[in-house]
Amino acid sequence: FDIPFPESFEAGPGHGVRIIHKGEVILLGNRKLMQKEGISAVDLDARLISLEEQGKTAMLVAKGGSLLGIIGVADTIKESSAAAVKALKKECLDIVMLTGDNERTAKAIAKQIGIEKVIANVLPGEKAGVIKGLQEAGNVVAMVGDGINDAPAMAQADIGIAIGSGSDVAKETGGIILIKNDV
């Protein structure tokens, strides 16, 4: 079926999208977006937490000021991720997950691949600042990324590593491009 174009579309990086269709506001995003729009998600909190503890990003859907439901999405973990983390740790490297996902989701994924240090809830524009902070603390930082949101952080890092299937911006920013999409 055809999906009609909305009258208005606004993307809030790290929060979600706000659409106006036929004069009605439709929202798809996280708790922060709903709070900003004055919509309480307290009634769905247990379900949101359950999805997050499974490593899924829970997105709320609202229309006309009322919550309609939750959509849970998850990135698939590459089979080689845990082995790569283990090999890097064996080289005495500190591995940190830096993500815009909420802390519960990030920690669930990190646990599955053996990462103990998680920096979560980081908005796209804040990632480079986190990298800079790690550098200022005396660390040499390598940043692996695949999206446009990762490019500034990859540019800030001492070593930027782009995943080959990533966005063109990420690949142009990375000093190293992994052709096989596999760290």
Side-chain angles (χ1 to χ4, degrees):
F1 66 93
D2 288 333
I3 298 174
F5 283 98
E7 290 122 48
S8 153
F9 177 92
E10 296 172 35
H15 293 99
V17 296
R18 183 179 195 275
I19 300 163
I20 298 178
H21 176 66
K22 294 186 179 178
E24 198 155 34
V25 176
I26 301 169
L27 305 168
L28 173 64
N30 59 21
R31 290 176 184 90
K32 289 178 186 175
L33 176 65
M34 297 304 152
Q35 287 172 346
K36 179 182 169 192
E37 295 286 334
I39 299 171
S40 173
V42 174
D43 293 344
L44 297 177
D45 211 40
R47 293 169 80 184
L48 290 167
I49 290 169
S50 174
L51 287 169
E52 292 162 355
E53 287 174 343
Q54 295 170 41
K56 296 178 180 161
T57 298
M59 297 182 294
L60 296 157
V61 181
K63 181 179 176 185
S66 298
L67 282 175
L68 299 178
I70 305 169
I71 299 172
V73 297
D75 290 324
T76 55
I77 298 173
K78 291 184 179 7
E79 288 182 30
S80 60
S81 295
V85 168
K86 186 175 182 179
L88 291 168
K89 284 181 171 181
K90 198 172 187 179
E91 297 295 322
C92 297
L93 298 174
D94 288 328
I95 311 301
V96 179
M97 177 186 284
L98 174 63
T99 180
D101 281 335
N102 74 68
E103 194 168 352
R104 256 188 298 275
T105 300
K107 284 184 174 180
I109 296 298
K111 184 177 180 182
Q112 292 177 49
I113 58 176
I115 295 175
E116 291 90 22
K117 296 180 183 176
V118 175
I119 302 172
N121 294 309
V122 182
L123 293 174
E126 298 171 343
K127 287 184 178 181
V130 171
I131 297 296
K132 187 173 183 179
L134 291 169
Q135 291 168 322
E136 288 171 350
N139 297 292
V140 175
V141 179
M143 168 73 183
V144 179
D146 66 354
I148 192 167
N149 293 338
D150 297 324
M154 290 167 55
Q156 175 64 47
D158 299 291
I159 303 167
I161 304 170
I163 302 293
S165 64
S167 71
D168 289 342
V169 172
K171 288 189 279 190
E172 287 178 26
T173 305
I176 298 170
I177 301 172
L178 301 179
I179 297 170
K180 289 189 172 186
N181 304 325
D182 187 342
V183 177

